Amino acid sequence: MKRIGFYSGSFDPITNGHADVIQRAARIVDRLVIGIGVHPGKAPLFQTEEKAEMIKAETAAITKRSGCRIEIATF
């Protein structure tokens, strides 16, 4: 059975703390879904697409080391 984790946040921008949580989660799950929260009433520093690209860049090495599949979704 696959272990799936979900980590949500605004990631505006992704921080070292976010990366630490992602790295720790990647060690204990087979698949990690990172949910970028979108709030229409707030003015974010970065657009959702930019945040997704930053997360992909930050998690590339984590994915390679851990073998965990990391996906990005918005909600």
Side-chain angles (χ1 to χ4, degrees):
M1 179 166 60
K2 297 277 184 179
R3 296 167 296 170
I4 301 171
F6 182 74
Y7 180 32
S8 64
S10 64
F11 303 100
D12 194 32
I14 188 168
T15 65
N16 289 335
H18 292 127
D20 183 55
V21 170
I22 292 167
Q23 185 172 357
R24 290 169 186 254
R27 286 189 234 144
I28 60 173
V29 298
D30 302 303
R31 180 174 143 212
L32 179 63
V33 180
I34 299 173
I36 302 172
V38 178
H39 189 290
K42 293 188 177 183
L45 185 61
F46 295 100
Q47 297 299 315
T48 304
E49 297 80 21
E50 292 174 301
K51 294 179 200 179
E53 288 303 316
M54 287 189 277
I55 293 169
K56 285 179 189 175
E58 185 68 36
T59 59
I62 295 170
T63 301
K64 194 172 191 177
R65 273 193 311 268
S66 67
C68 175
R69 190 169 109 205
I70 297 177
E71 299 173 15
I72 301 170
T74 59
F75 68 96

